[in-house]
Amino acid sequence: ERSNLAGVQHILLVLSGKGGVGKSTVSTQLALALRHSGKKVGILDVDLCGPSIPRMFRVQDSAVHQCDSGWVPVFVDQGKSISLMSIGFLLEKPDEAVVWRGPKKNALIKQFVADVAWGDLDFLIVDTPPGTSDEHISTVEALRPYKPLGAILVTTPQAVSVGDVRRELTFCKKMGLDILGIVENMSGFVCPHCSECTNIFSKGGGEALAKHAGVPFLGCVPLDPQLSLSLEEGRDFIQEFPQSSAFPALARIAQQVLDRSSQLSS
């Protein structure tokens, strides 16, 4: 029997030991950048208690349908180049809290991995909740037979966030998950008027952590009002704001992911 992930070339996990650092932001922008490079991309949102990806693509009112091989993911564009699966599509009320114990969460994650009919994809990006516990273990174990490409770790520059992400590095090593690199998000604010950069959340923590751990540093993504607006309104930041301060960093991260996948495919 053909697995629903048989047509997926590369699986990426976006992780962080801490909440609020921008994992969903990195996941959505990476998907958009890969789409503009001509790739077909899926996003699996396993943040069961805070599913924000559907809102970021402005498809939060969509419904999931069944087909012979399982759930059909929601497509975010007419060309069906980005598909999405999230618990947000399964809730009767959008503001409903998911008050579940671990076993029920783990069962849904396994169902997401097994029962979503992704079709042929170049990349499947898995957006995870904060932490290193039940959901993360279930996700990695369920995906292990499909040989994930690796994990991207997201941090903000300050020491508290970097400390939590250091624990995520340990989790990846214990689970045998390759680390593609570290992204430092919210890395300074570039003034749109004078172009001066103000380091609101300290500076350089992500790069120092990558150097200490011996893993690649993928880049710094600055705070950008245009990026925040795009996420709020479900717009395509990569296409609409190529002149923004965050665009080159996001494009560089996507290019490094493409380069790594090409190396492993060759």
Side-chain angles (χ1 to χ4, degrees):
E1 186 179 346
R2 179 181 162 91
S3 158
N4 277 332
L5 287 174
V8 178
Q9 298 299 313
H10 303 291
I11 300 172
L12 298 170
L13 289 91
V14 179
L15 299 168
S16 177
K18 189 172 180 60
V21 298
K23 290 182 297 299
S24 297
T25 298
V26 170
S27 296
T28 55
Q29 301 313 306
L30 180 57
L32 288 166
L34 291 170
R35 190 264 296 274
H36 287 297
S37 296
K39 305 300 182 184
K40 285 192 73 173
V41 187
I43 304 181
L44 176 57
D45 182 3
V46 294
D47 191 348
L48 304 183
C49 295
S52 53
I53 297 272
R55 169 73 187 269
M56 290 178 171
F57 282 106
R58 202 161 43 174
V59 291
Q60 65 269 30
D61 297 324
S62 300
V64 169
H65 302 288
Q66 292 273 352
C67 68
D68 290 343
S69 52
W71 283 324
V72 180
V74 170
F75 295 100
V76 305
D77 61 333
Q78 291 292 324
K80 297 186 176 181
S81 57
I82 297 181
S83 51
L84 173 59
M85 187 65 200
S86 169
I87 194 176
F89 300 131
L90 307 178
L91 300 174
E92 289 184 15
K93 300 176 184 175
D95 297 329
E96 190 178 330
V98 178
V99 187
W100 291 357
R101 294 189 185 275
K104 193 170 181 181
K105 289 182 180 178
N106 298 341
L108 182 62
I109 288 169
K110 288 173 185 172
Q111 193 173 1
F112 273 169
V113 170
D115 292 348
V116 179
W118 294 107
D120 293 329
L121 293 177
D122 296 299
F123 290 92
L124 177 64
I125 298 169
V126 183
D127 184 44
T128 65
T132 55
S133 57
D134 272 10
E135 292 105 307
H136 305 80
I137 296 168
S138 293
T139 301
V140 175
E141 289 291 352
L143 291 171
R144 194 185 300 283
Y146 308 101
K147 297 181 172 57
L149 185 63
I152 292 174
L153 273 55
V154 183
T155 186
T156 51
Q158 66 267 50
V160 171
S161 176
V162 169
D164 287 339
V165 177
R166 188 176 283 115
R167 297 182 190 100
E168 199 75 46
L169 280 163
T170 309
F171 168 82
C172 291
K173 287 174 182 172
K174 284 183 176 179
M175 296 299 292
L177 189 61
D178 285 343
I179 298 164
L180 297 183
I182 294 175
V183 173
E184 184 178 289
N185 194 28
M186 306 182 200
S187 183
F189 170 71
V190 179
C191 175
H193 305 294
C194 68
S195 299
E196 182 178 341
C197 182
T198 304
N199 293 307
I200 296 171
F201 297 120
S202 184
K203 183 183 179 182
E207 189 168 8
L209 176 59
K211 190 174 181 182
H212 172 76
V215 300
F217 181 64
L218 300 180
C220 301
V221 181
L223 286 162
D224 190 328
Q226 291 174 322
L227 177 55
S228 301
L229 180 69
S230 298
L231 294 167
E232 285 289 319
E233 297 181 354
R235 294 162 65 182
D236 186 339
F237 171 80
I238 299 293
Q239 184 174 36
E240 293 187 37
F241 300 105
Q243 304 304 317
S244 76
S245 56
F247 178 87
L250 292 166
R252 196 160 53 246
I253 292 164
Q255 187 57 53
Q256 289 176 86
V257 169
L258 286 167
D259 292 345
R260 180 66 182 273
S261 64
S262 298
Q263 288 170 9
L264 292 176
S265 298
S266 58

